[in-house]
């Protein structure tokens, strides 16, 4: 019997995976998860975007100042994984986030980055709604350029994780499989800027 690669499109389970381990090296060592936006830590805004966008269960990968993040941020109903090797880069966090879903009932994982507060629930919902099967690759696009969030069907988790190294995340895997990616335009509902430098902090409210 072959594995059925088709998800139940009436009610597929799309887990949300939030990568929030960064130490903010170019921000003077301020953990990105704890940067304030509209009065609350960035990690809370990202979790809300995943939840309101229809994802669940929710998995958060922390790293820098993980204990402080857990103490100061409301991560209710989230499964938290702490990445002891967070300084290796985003790839290690993606591997842990996908590994946390192994054996779950999730049909896909939708991956969001904590340092992109301009990407909210509308973009998450739009990418999530494009999910059709466990072999899916779906990504938001901005003016035709691929960005986040990115959805990985469950059948792709192992290969995506295997290729996730350094600070590139799944970039190499996505380049290799670019012909399989469904792009979902989100520039009308989201802005794909990163909070990487001190100048970027002005984007926070």
């Amino acid at each position: 019997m072959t594995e059925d690669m088709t998800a139940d499109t009436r009610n597929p389970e799309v887990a949300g995976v939030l990568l929030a381990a960064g130490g903010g090296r170019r921000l003077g060592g301020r953990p990105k998860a704890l940067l304030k936006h509209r009065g609350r830590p960035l990690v809370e805004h990202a979790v809300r975007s995943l939840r309101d966008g229809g994802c669940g269960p929710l998995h958060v990968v922390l790293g820098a100042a993980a204990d402080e993040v857990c103490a100061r941020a409301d991560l209710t109903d989230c499964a938290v994984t702490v990445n002891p090797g967070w300084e290796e880069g985003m790839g290690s966090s993606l591997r842990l986030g996908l590994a946390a879903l192994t054996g779950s009932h999730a049909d896909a994982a939708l991956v969001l980055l904590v340092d992109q507060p301009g990407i909210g629930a509308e973009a998450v919902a739009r990418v999530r709604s494009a999910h059709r099967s466990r072999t899916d690759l779906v990504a938001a696009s901005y003016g035709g350029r691929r960005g986040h969030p990115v959805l990985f069907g469950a059948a792709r988790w192992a290969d995506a994780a295997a290729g996730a190294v350094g600070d590139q995340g799944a970039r190499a895997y996505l380049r290799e499989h670019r012909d399989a990616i469904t792009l979902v335009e989100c520039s009308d509902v989201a802005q794909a800027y990163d909070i990487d430098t001190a100048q970027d902090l002005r984007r926070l409210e």
Side-chain angles (χ1 to χ4, degrees):
M1 180 181 296
T2 59
E3 181 182 359
D4 180 4
M5 291 298 185
T6 302
D8 180 354
T9 55
R10 292 169 300 174
N11 190 28
E13 184 172 286
V14 177
V17 176
L18 176 61
L19 306 186
R25 177 176 52 84
R26 286 184 286 173
L27 293 167
R30 299 168 63 184
K32 291 185 177 183
L34 288 175
L35 293 175
K36 288 291 185 66
H37 182 55
R38 299 173 184 169
R40 298 301 303 167
L42 274 186
V43 67
E44 288 187 16
H45 290 277
V47 165
R48 186 178 303 115
S49 293
L50 288 171
R51 182 181 290 120
D52 292 352
C55 293
L58 303 181
H59 292 259
V60 179
V61 182
L62 299 178
D67 289 344
E68 186 179 359
V69 175
C70 288
R72 292 175 52 188
D74 182 2
L75 300 179
T76 302
D77 297 328
C78 295
V80 174
T81 299
V82 177
N83 178 8
W86 63 268
E87 290 181 286
E88 298 174 18
M90 190 191 310
S92 61
S93 292
L94 178 60
R95 293 196 303 271
L96 284 176
L98 293 177
L101 298 176
T102 301
S104 73
H105 297 295
D107 299 297
L110 188 145
V111 179
L112 186 65
L113 308 182
V114 76
D115 65 347
Q116 294 190 320
I119 299 175
E122 296 90 346
V124 169
R126 196 171 285 186
V127 171
R128 185 194 182 283
S129 68
H131 170 55
R132 294 293 179 269
S133 79
R134 294 169 68 88
T135 60
D136 273 344
L137 270 180
V138 183
S141 66
Y142 301 88
R145 184 175 181 180
R146 176 175 54 78
H148 283 85
V150 178
L151 182 147
F152 298 89
R156 294 188 178 270
W157 295 348
D159 286 345
V165 295
D167 204 32
Q168 299 299 303
R171 198 173 301 170
Y173 179 84
L174 293 172
R175 279 199 303 266
E176 183 180 348
H177 296 85
R178 58 184 176 272
D179 292 341
I181 300 174
T182 297
L183 292 178
V184 179
E185 185 61 39
C186 291
S187 59
D188 58 322
V189 295
Q191 294 179 294
Y193 57 83
D194 301 320
I195 304 298
D196 280 334
T197 68
Q199 285 187 327
D200 297 330
L201 294 174
R202 70 183 188 277
R203 293 181 176 272
L204 300 178
E205 300 174 10

